[in-house]
Amino acid sequence: MMTSKDDYQEAYVWIWLPNATEPVVAGKLAQDGEDLVFAYGKSYRERKEAIPIYEPELPLKSGTLSPLNGLNMPNCIRDGAPDAWGRRVIINRQMGLKGSAVDVDDLNELTYLLESGSDRIGALDFQVSPTEYVPRQSQGASLEELMNSAERVEKGVPLSPELDQALFHGSSIGGARPKALIQDGDTKYIAKFSASNDSYSVVKAEFIAMRLAHLAGLSVAPVKMVEAAHKSVLLIERFDRAPVKNGWHRKAIVSALTILELDEMMARYASYEKLAEIIRLRFTAPKDTLKELYARMVFNIQCGNTDDHARNHAAFWDGKSLTLTPAYDICPQSRAGGEATQAMLLVGNNRYSQLKICIEAAHHFRLSKVEAKAIIEHQKSIIVENWDAVCDEG
């Protein structure tokens, strides 16, 4: 049982290379004072098919690679770590009732990497061994069992070993809300549950927003609603996994926070304008990608999703270039009055949730004001025309 910040001092990073079904060890992550530093293994660097975990952050070269300025660990590694919900699951499984009094900072990042499930987003996993890969995964559990487990974790109640293991499987998935991983045939899903303190059906609101975004022409992860224990569960299809004859391909992913070279403490500086600039320089199909990002920015404002922070945008990484992933976590947020603001800056230092600002920002996305207004009006008409039907789907 991990109870100290000093329990783990190193971890080995394993990676699924493009089109591979088994991982190989890429290098070692080690504690260096307050920082985590990384070094590629010589055997990995000598592989013909080796790719950098992410450039420019961890270029494929020898020696110890320190975090970029202002960071205390490589962000592309942090993208594979659990967020608020996964950390609660890990604290609960280690400390039970005592966990409610534990600060998430009482466990270090290496502990969260090594004590979370292996089926994490992207193409990385973390092990104590450089030679033997042992996946941390669970036996199957029903949605009802997973939901009941999630409720117990929220209350700080210890789980049975079986349910603990089932919920632990999804502990590496990001985000703050209760969730789990499930598989149905050749499809993997992230299951999102209602939280005990929800004042409205957040999962239904996200389903409606995601479906409307798809109908409006955005590239969006497929979603569906199911019932378990008389409660709604949102299933989001994973786009970082592809089934093949002898297993699964894992697609490497980095968040916009990583691309912008920021961490959570600096996330308030994340900007659609800056992301658009990077898209022009480093992404595949930059013209189409800029239009897609612009449409997502506009849709977030139109549907009331003010939680559009930089971990809720991501790109596939193939070792050379970036490609925008489908949209995910489009979830309207409740408001208590006052002027709404977006989590990411729209343009300059302006984050007010106003479509007129989007129109003024259009040139940063290589769009004319006429094109920008057409996108806005198209989304409005789709929302109005399909609102009742999509609500009935949920």
Side-chain angles (χ1 to χ4, degrees), residues 55-76:
E55 259 181 340
E57 189 172 39
L58 292 180
L60 189 57
K61 63 181 185 181
S62 63
T64 299
L65 303 173
S66 297
L68 299 177
N69 287 338
L71 305 179
N72 59 14
M73 70 180 293
N75 244 355
C76 56

Side-chain angles (χ1 to χ4, degrees), residues 123-299:
L124 300 180
D125 194 24
F126 309 95
Q127 298 279 310
V128 295
S129 170
T131 57
E132 184 183 13
Y133 180 77
V134 182
R136 298 178 295 278
Q137 54 195 23
S138 72
Q139 302 299 315
S142 69
L143 278 175
E144 286 86 354
E145 290 171 323
L146 290 167
M147 182 182 292
N148 290 336
S149 299
E151 291 176 353
R152 291 172 70 89
V153 167
E154 285 192 289
K155 297 173 184 176
V157 178
L159 301 175
S160 69
E162 295 78 18
L163 293 183
D164 170 277
Q165 188 64 16
L167 198 63
F168 163 73
H169 179 52
S171 61
S172 55
I173 301 298
R177 296 186 56 77
K179 58 180 65 68
L181 294 176
I182 65 168
Q183 182 176 334
D184 182 11
D186 287 341
T187 306
K188 292 195 175 193
Y189 295 96
I190 296 172
K192 289 189 174 182
F193 308 124
S194 299
S196 57
N197 60 350
D198 284 346
S199 57
Y200 63 99
S201 181
V202 175
V203 292
K204 284 189 176 182
E206 183 171 352
F207 170 82
I208 291 167
M210 294 279 281
R211 288 286 296 125
L212 289 171
H214 169 72
L215 292 171
L218 275 66
S219 173
V220 180
V223 294
K224 62 181 180 180
M225 293 295 298
V226 297
E227 292 290 317
H230 307 293
K231 293 183 180 179
S232 298
V233 181
L234 174 65
L235 300 184
I236 304 170
E237 191 172 321
R238 291 184 65 172
F239 46 72
D240 63 332
R241 297 290 185 269
V244 292
K245 187 176 181 180
N246 57 339
W248 296 84
H249 289 165
R250 299 194 180 196
K251 300 179 182 180
I253 286 177
V254 290
S255 69
L257 200 62
T258 293
I259 294 167
L260 293 166
E261 299 182 4
L262 302 171
D263 65 7
E264 274 77 11
M265 299 300 291
M266 300 183 280
R268 64 187 181 280
Y269 301 114
S271 156
Y272 283 101
E273 179 186 356
K274 178 63 177 177
L275 185 55
E277 182 182 316
I278 296 172
I279 286 171
R280 293 197 296 272
L281 297 172
R282 301 188 56 215
F283 275 62
T284 58
K287 183 178 179 181
D288 290 342
T289 304
L290 287 168
K291 184 177 181 181
E292 173 73 18
L293 181 64
Y294 185 82
R296 294 183 190 186
M297 178 177 74
V298 167
F299 189 83

